[in-house]
Amino acid sequence: MNFNLTQIPERMKKPRNHGITMVMDKGLSMNEVENFLSVAGPHVDIVKLGFGTSAVTPNLKEKINLYHQYNMPIYFGGTLFEAFLIRNQIDDYIAICKEYNITYMEVSDGSITIPHAEKCGYIEKLTKYGTVLSEVGSKDATNIMAPYKWIELMRAELEAGASYVIAEAREAGNVGIYRDSGEVRQGLVAEILTQIPEEKILWEAPQKAQQLYFLQLLGCNVNLGNIAPNEVIPLEAMRIGLRGDTFDLYRNK
């Protein structure tokens, strides 16, 4: 904080294990990464190279090294994991993570079908090489899971060793925990929170209205993901009541 204001909620300090902001990098240049981190770095906890973009990103090793110079954890999007898996190249996936010094890994099944016991097996296997985030939910908007199923899957994946479970929304925020309009499936979220610790859930929330919903529901230290690089500072301001949407959220409390 640059200014001394009272009635500002206390944010967890970095390195955070709660109150995480995960940013999706969909193809930033080296200069853009440098500029982004110079401004937003203190408010970002982890960066995802979205979907399969890392496979076609020029100077990938140099870019990853730049993130690491800022002590920023980075990982490949879950779609890349699925692309390797469906081609029976899981050992190659592990090898490239080692080669590029990637110690965070996402296990997902949003684009392919994996028997859940097998998915949990991959989570358990990858925990030997780093921190695992597992994504629950399909990228297919017609695939609607009942709340009990979300809970069942999330619980099993945490028990398999995932540090966090990611609630699927895609980059647009229109599937999974959201309706195709972007509206939060509030009943689903409420059911999940009866059984899964909220500090273990990373809610993908690319839209401002979605971020606001979770801030109002769970407070400033809710875990939020798929945040655009240029939305980190606005989100941090909103987290602590310094944006119109949350201006009265913490005052006199």
Side-chain angles (χ1 to χ4, degrees), residues 143-161:
N143 186 0
I144 306 297
M145 285 195 302
Y148 82 88
K149 193 64 177 177
W150 283 81
I151 292 167
E152 181 182 293
L153 298 180
M154 286 180 164
R155 180 182 289 125
E157 292 175 25
L158 288 169
E159 289 174 354

Side-chain angles (χ1 to χ4, degrees), residues 152-207:
E152 181 182 293
L153 298 180
M154 286 180 164
R155 180 182 289 125
E157 292 175 25
L158 288 169
E159 289 174 354
S163 294
Y164 299 93
V165 284
I166 302 171
E168 170 72 84
R170 298 198 75 174
E171 59 180 300
N174 58 1
V175 298
I177 54 171
Y178 305 108
R179 296 183 173 87
D180 57 8
S181 63
E183 180 186 0
V184 181
R185 295 175 61 195
Q186 295 185 28
L188 169 62
V189 170
E191 284 288 322
I192 290 172
L193 287 169
T194 64
Q195 301 292 324
I196 307 299
E198 59 104 351
E199 64 271 15
K200 288 293 187 178
I201 305 171
L202 181 60
W203 309 96
E204 291 188 338
Q207 299 180 26

Side-chain angles (χ1 to χ4, degrees), residues 14 23 35-45 72 229 232-233:
K14 290 183 70 173
V23 168
N35 291 337
F36 154 57
L37 292 176
S38 70
V39 175
H43 307 299
V44 179
D45 300 281
M72 187 64 62
V232 172
I233 295 295

Side-chain angles (χ1 to χ4, degrees), residues 19-70:
I20 288 171
T21 294
M22 179 268 275
V23 168
M24 180 186 279
D25 174 344
K26 297 190 290 184
L28 296 179
S29 69
M30 296 284 285
N31 287 339
E32 287 171 327
V33 170
E34 187 106 49
N35 291 337
F36 154 57
L37 292 176
S38 70
V39 175
H43 307 299
V44 179
D45 300 281
I46 189 167
V47 172
K48 171 170 68 176
L49 299 182
F51 33 102
T53 55
S54 53
V56 293
T57 296
N59 305 310
L60 178 61
K61 188 164 285 189
E62 291 81 358
K63 182 176 182 178
I64 291 171
N65 287 340
L66 179 57
Y67 274 115
H68 287 164
Q69 286 171 27
Y70 281 83

Side-chain angles (χ1 to χ4, degrees), residues 107-154:
V107 174
S108 67
D109 55 356
S111 299
I112 64 176
T113 300
I114 311 171
H116 195 245
E118 185 178 326
K119 182 183 180 186
C120 289
Y122 291 121
I123 293 170
E124 187 173 354
K125 180 175 183 174
L126 291 179
T127 57
K128 298 171 184 174
Y129 303 98
T131 300
V132 175
L133 302 91
S134 66
E135 188 174 69
V136 176
S138 174
K139 290 177 170 55
D140 181 355
T142 65
N143 186 0
I144 306 297
M145 285 195 302
Y148 82 88
K149 193 64 177 177
W150 283 81
I151 292 167
E152 181 182 293
L153 298 180
M154 286 180 164

